[in-house]
Amino acid sequence: MPVALPAPAFSCLVLDDDLLVRDLAASFVEQIPSLTLTGLYDNAVLAFEHLARQPVDLLITDIELPQLNGLELVRALRQPPLVIFVTSHPHYALPTYDLDAVDFLVKPLRFDRFLRAVDKALLLLRAKALPPTHPAPAGPLPADDSFFIRTEFQFLKLHYAEVAYVEAMRDFVKVHLLDGTVHITLVNLKQMEAQLPPHLFVRTHRSFLVNTGKIEAVTNQEVRVGNVEVPLGITHREAVLAQVVQQHLLARHPGKPE
């Protein structure tokens, strides 16, 4: 009878200047068999030195820190690990998108929410550890209503109509489906954008590619897909308006430009 091999343990560093939060996060990490806590810090500069000397797979860090905040720390690292940000202030969520954060946790920490964030990171780490496959051909996919992605365990067929949006995670993307399911695949967003039908998907932000048919509202800073607000970058706003809104906009004087 085959014996299941233990999952590899990935290294993790926790950084928070609040003793109670730091110890709580560390205790959460120690309850997850796939993670090994290799650093526990209250000082971002000391954490930076550790990460420069001994890189880790996952960094769990507060944002508001003395001397060097969590965002600045990640930007300062030459090769930052996967990051889960922790903060008491939800308004920091938007800047974390530009750093390809795995997740964004608002204090007080809850183990169920913490576990969900870590699970996303583990999916990415395990996907990265998979043996390489033959590179996909360049250019758009064949005309069809579906495509395949490689996940941790299988080649999975997805239909364009079930995809809400695609989110970049450095060399990975997270494919978010309308039913809330998220699949992670080792393809970057640029490669994904080049192969998906351009009339069905539009780039709204450096980190997001959205199914045009699922966009329900557009503002100056975001597009709404179901209950999710996806960032809309200023450099992509004009293209989104042209592709999503203008062709379907009811005008005051039909047939005349507004």
Side-chain angles (χ1 to χ4, degrees):
M1 182 176 179
V3 177
L5 296 175
F10 297 103
S11 56
C12 176
L13 184 145
V14 172
L15 168 63
D16 200 301
D17 62 338
D18 184 313
L19 175 61
L20 294 178
V21 175
R22 184 170 68 253
D23 286 350
L24 181 61
S27 72
F28 286 172
V29 169
E30 290 169 347
Q31 294 179 60
I32 301 173
S34 297
L35 289 181
T36 298
L37 186 65
T38 59
L40 188 61
Y41 289 92
D42 63 357
N43 182 292
V45 176
L46 294 178
F48 176 85
E49 292 180 352
H50 177 122
L51 293 167
R53 181 180 67 252
Q54 181 184 344
V56 300
D57 298 305
L58 176 63
L59 168 64
I60 300 171
T61 179
D62 191 10
I63 291 181
E64 291 197 324
L65 296 162
Q67 291 184 276
L68 189 71
N69 70 38
L71 299 171
E72 293 166 341
L73 167 65
V74 174
R75 292 190 191 105
L77 292 167
R78 289 185 180 180
Q79 293 184 310
L82 296 182
V83 183
I84 296 173
F85 285 106
V86 179
T87 182
S88 300
H89 305 284
H91 69 268
Y92 281 118
L94 193 57
T96 67
Y97 286 131
D98 291 328
L99 296 175
D100 296 330
V102 173
D103 212 334
F104 177 87
L105 302 180
V106 178
K107 300 176 184 179
L109 293 181
R110 301 192 333 261
F111 184 65
D112 62 329
R113 183 65 182 85
F114 183 91
L115 190 60
R116 198 159 78 239
V118 168
D119 187 55
K120 294 179 188 178
L122 292 175
L123 282 173
L124 290 166
L125 291 168
R126 289 168 184 153
K128 191 174 183 179
L130 290 173
T133 57
H134 297 296
L141 296 170
D144 198 350
D145 67 347
S146 62
F147 61 102
F148 277 88
I149 60 170
R150 182 182 181 180
T151 66
E152 183 182 359
F153 301 111
Q154 61 188 328
F155 292 97
L156 182 66
K157 185 176 185 177
L158 299 176
H159 293 272
Y160 297 130
E162 63 184 328
V163 177
Y165 62 96
V166 182
E167 180 182 358
M169 287 293 302
R170 298 184 197 166
D171 294 330
F172 309 89
V173 294
K174 295 193 289 186
V175 183
H176 296 258
L177 304 187
L178 294 173
D179 65 3
T181 304
V182 179
H183 296 292
I184 294 174
T185 186
L186 188 54
V187 177
N188 65 41
L189 193 65
K190 183 177 180 181
Q191 293 165 337
M192 180 73 84
E193 182 180 20
Q195 296 176 78
L196 292 178
H199 65 286
L200 295 181
F201 292 87
V202 64
R203 181 79 77 102
T204 65
H205 182 274
R206 64 181 293 273
S207 298
F208 289 89
L209 187 65
V210 178
N211 187 330
T212 58
K214 310 305 177 185
I215 295 176
E216 298 177 2
V218 180
T219 72
N220 284 337
Q221 296 182 322
E222 62 201 17
V223 300
R224 192 174 74 241
V225 183
N227 295 323
V228 179
E229 295 173 344
V230 177
L232 176 58
I234 189 170
T235 58
H236 301 284
R237 190 180 304 154
E238 187 173 331
V240 170
L241 289 173
Q243 185 169 342
V244 178
V245 177
Q246 296 297 338
Q247 296 182 33
H248 306 279
L249 183 65
L250 291 178
R252 287 179 298 172
H253 304 288
K256 296 180 180 181
E258 289 292 316

